[in-house]
Amino acid sequence: MYSNIIKLVSFIFIIISLSSCEKKISTNPKEIHWDRDMCSRCAMVISDRNHAVQVINTEDGKVYVFDDIGCTILWFKEQDIKWEEKAVIWITAIKTAKWINAKTAFYDTMNVTPMAYGFGAHEQKDDIQAGLEVINYEEMKKRILENKK
């Protein structure tokens, strides 16, 4: 009887140990190696700290980096990325270089960007200079795809 209890406790311990080993994928922004990491689409070195983008595949944790949001949007389309909707996309805010969520960011359209797409990301709508056009992620994405380079 005691051996059955010991076996049962051992079995439960093993199951708990194995289930706690489940790998959690971090979706936090990763460190960029400025002036060394290369854009996943155009292979340009990423040096502009106010327009960098990183995409995290939530299925496997792999991180892709880009020099311009335009490269990011076109890469999704050209590579036929099936997990695009699930992807976590971080972009640096144009004024602060802080990593912000690209899908909830606000964009103005009058910027000099590494690949000349012109979209600058802002965490708050109020951060954009009065009089400039303000668009959301979906509108920015639509415009990039319409004017594909």
Side-chain angles (χ1 to χ4, degrees):
M1 175 152 166
Y2 289 112
S3 68
N4 287 342
I5 292 174
I6 291 173
K7 286 179 185 177
L8 179 62
V9 169
S10 297
F11 177 74
I12 291 171
F13 178 75
I14 290 170
I15 295 300
I16 291 171
S17 295
L18 290 175
S19 66
S20 66
C21 292
E22 182 181 330
K23 187 176 179 183
K24 300 282 184 191
I25 294 174
S26 171
T27 57
N28 294 327
K30 309 301 184 260
E31 181 182 353
I32 295 286
H33 300 99
W34 303 107
D35 302 315
R36 288 185 300 188
D37 286 347
M38 296 171 65
C39 178
S40 295
R41 178 177 181 260
C42 71
M44 186 169 121
V45 172
I46 300 171
S47 58
D48 189 331
R49 287 152 176 80
N50 296 31
H51 295 286
V53 180
Q54 51 182 292
V55 173
I56 302 171
N57 180 342
T58 58
E59 295 174 1
D60 64 10
K62 188 162 181 186
V63 178
Y64 303 87
V65 294
F66 302 88
D67 59 341
D68 193 306
I69 190 69
C71 281
T72 309
I73 300 304
L74 294 176
W75 176 80
F76 277 125
K77 176 124 177 104
E78 293 164 355
Q79 299 299 313
D80 193 26
I81 303 297
K82 303 292 186 210
W83 46 268
E84 178 181 0
E85 292 302 315
K86 296 179 193 173
V88 173
I89 307 171
W90 296 101
I91 187 168
T92 50
I94 191 167
K95 290 183 179 179
T96 64
K98 173 184 167 189
W99 290 108
I100 61 175
N101 182 333
K103 292 180 179 179
T104 59
F106 299 93
Y107 296 86
D108 66 16
T109 60
M110 302 298 293
N111 298 281
V112 176
T113 65
M115 297 304 290
Y117 291 98
F119 298 101
H122 302 266
E123 192 167 16
Q124 304 292 326
K125 194 182 276 190
D126 295 342
D127 294 343
I128 299 174
Q129 180 183 332
L132 291 180
E133 180 181 25
V134 179
I135 60 175
N136 65 15
Y137 177 82
E138 290 303 320
E139 178 62 22
M140 178 268 306
K141 179 179 169 180
K142 178 181 152 198
R143 291 183 187 189
I144 289 170
L145 292 172
E146 286 174 351
N147 298 312
K148 196 168 133 177
K149 290 184 180 184

